[in-house]
Amino acid sequence: MKIIGRIACLALAAWALAGSAPAGSEDDPATYAVRVAVTAAPGSPLQRLPLSAQILAASRSSGLNDVRVFDSTGRAMPIARIAPAERALRRDRLPALPILGAADAFTITGMSLRLDGAGNARVARGGGTVPGGPATAAVMGVLFDARGIAGEAHSLTLDADIPQAQPVTFIVEASTDLRDWQPIGEKVIYRAGMPSTDMAASPIPLGDAPLERTYIRITWRAASRLLSPVVVRSGTLITRPSTADAGTFIEALPPSISDDHVIEFGVPFATALTTMRIVPTGSDVLVPVRIFGRNDREQPWTPIGDGTAVRPGNGTPAGGAIVLNGGPYPMLRIEADRRSAGFTSAPKLQLGFAAHEIVFLAAGRAPFVLAAGRAAAGDHYLPLHSMMTQAPDGPLATAKAATSNAVLRLPPVGSAERSGQILLWAVLLAATALLACMALLLWKRGAGVAS
């Protein structure tokens, strides 16, 4: 019986130690959750490799530290990060369309004002008349037709004449229907020399405002009466492709819903999401939504995006991707507008990531394997300039990773937290039992010596 007890204690100790330590080594490809075959391009030892959404959705590190490349013998290849490429800028020259109005539209003669005993205005009464006769037209602003341009507005440079030595404030607004206008930029411009030189050096920043079948309106004002009229002939609009159109996407299914207006789920990866498409299912067609994120249950939900979930079909295009602001959140919440019917069934999701690329040195034996998905992995990336010493002349060769139509199933909020708590309790109970066994063995040994 003593031998059996000792064996049981040793087995329990081994189980406790195994539960508290990571299985395998970081240099073992089998310890990574996702492994994808990679085909290196011929003719170059240094290979450029775009990371697929499957790999990004498997990473357990916000810095992609657990992304590795192995050769057929399981040996890790040297890797380096590539900085994200700048999205190409587009330049469009748009003619200015004048917005006319009556110069004397607000001119009223004979204005009277009644004051109370304390000198405060109580009643304002227009006792005069609006001047008659034909109205004199004046330019109130200009309009740019940017409906053929899609993307994000970076800046607008005006070809215009403004009064010399007078600061003029230009206001930029956007609209899709010429009725509701949204401010997207404003700048004070002061002309000291030639008009064209001053304006060309004074672009108006537009804060990457989204453009889609959009009109742009320019109006202006000054602190005092302008000494000469403002004349805007054209504008040069600088745009870049939308963030929602960049990067890579993976299909995902949220958990079944229990609330028509709220869907909450955990995020089983650490890579930051940049966009999300929400595709209604069942009888749902169009649902306005807001998206929230948080790090744990103790924090309030933080709004990170809003848009509309649109079901494609019958000539209706799929809804655009909703841009998400903020870092990676382990918990997300989709909230339907309370004025809508909400969701009758869980929608399909397309999770979007920013484009990520690495380079690796194909110094081993093919075929190669791209791996990701290991918690607490160390950072094994080398400086890019040290890797470039192995690059041939000309552009880098691009390796290809095998594609997959994997669908990511998103867990309910707190499921990963609960499983981690269960594992922690199991390890603590095992360690307690181990200490009890060791104490029992020591007590029995002491009792035997005493007898």
Side-chain angles (χ1 to χ4, degrees), residues 86-419:
E86 287 287 334
R87 288 172 287 161
L89 295 177
R90 169 176 170 171
R91 182 185 301 268
D92 291 274
R93 189 175 181 86
L94 304 175
L97 307 175
I99 301 174
L100 301 180
D104 56 358
F106 300 104
T107 301
I108 300 176
T109 60
M111 179 67 70
S112 64
L113 188 67
R114 180 180 300 173
L115 304 178
D116 61 12
N120 298 318
R122 294 301 183 188
V123 178
R125 181 177 301 168
T129 59
V130 177
T136 303
V139 176
M140 314 297 290
V142 296
L143 189 70
F144 296 125
D145 187 351
R147 289 176 296 171
I149 303 172
E152 297 174 355
H154 179 265
S155 64
L156 177 66
T157 302
L158 300 178
D159 177 13
D161 294 335
I162 64 174
Q164 190 171 2
Q166 276 191 288
V168 178
T169 302
F170 287 88
I171 302 98
V172 186
E173 298 168 292
S175 173
T176 57
D177 57 7
L178 295 176
R179 182 181 61 185
D180 300 318
W181 294 91
Q182 179 69 32
I184 61 174
E186 181 174 315
K187 185 170 184 177
V188 178
I189 298 178
Y190 177 83
R191 182 174 76 86
M194 297 298 293
S196 59
T197 303
D198 291 344
M199 299 299 290
S202 303
I204 304 172
L206 302 182
D208 292 336
L211 297 180
E212 186 174 359
R213 300 190 60 79
T214 304
Y215 294 97
I216 295 177
R217 181 174 72 180
I218 308 293
T219 55
W220 49 85
R221 65 172 183 265
S224 61
R225 181 179 178 182
L226 294 175
L227 301 178
S228 62
V230 173
V231 178
V232 179
R233 291 176 288 272
S234 64
T236 300
L237 180 64
I238 305 298
T239 58
R240 56 165 58 97
S242 172
T243 304
D245 298 329
T248 180
F249 289 84
I250 188 171
E251 301 283 342
L253 293 177
S256 57
I257 62 174
S258 57
D259 188 318
D260 293 344
H261 289 81
V262 175
I263 303 173
E264 296 180 357
F265 53 89
V267 179
F269 50 82
T271 312
L273 289 173
T274 57
T275 54
M276 180 187 298
R277 291 193 182 103
I278 305 173
V279 183
T281 60
S283 59
D284 304 329
V285 178
L286 188 148
V287 183
V289 297
R290 298 180 68 195
I291 303 175
F292 302 82
R294 67 180 179 184
N295 292 316
D296 54 57
R297 292 179 177 273
E298 303 301 322
Q299 290 186 340
W301 289 104
T302 302
I304 59 175
D306 61 85
T308 304
V310 179
R311 182 179 181 181
N314 298 326
T316 303
I322 300 172
V323 178
L324 304 182
N325 303 311
Y329 288 98
M331 302 179 186
L332 291 181
R333 173 188 178 106
I334 299 174
E335 186 176 295
D337 193 318
R338 292 291 175 179
R339 295 170 295 181
S340 70
F343 295 101
T344 59
S345 60
K348 295 180 180 179
L349 304 180
Q350 295 177 2
L351 307 180
F353 304 92
H356 291 273
E357 291 183 308
I358 63 171
V359 295
F360 74 95
L361 188 62
R365 183 179 301 174
F368 298 94
V369 173
L370 175 65
R374 180 185 170 91
D379 188 343
H380 295 273
Y381 291 96
L382 299 175
L384 181 60
H385 64 83
S386 66
M387 298 280 289
M388 293 303 294
T389 59
Q390 305 300 313
D393 295 334
L396 289 178
T398 301
K400 292 184 179 181
T403 58
S404 171
N405 294 324
V407 177
L408 184 65
R409 293 190 175 273
L410 301 171
V413 164
S415 61
E417 183 180 358
R418 287 193 297 271
S419 63

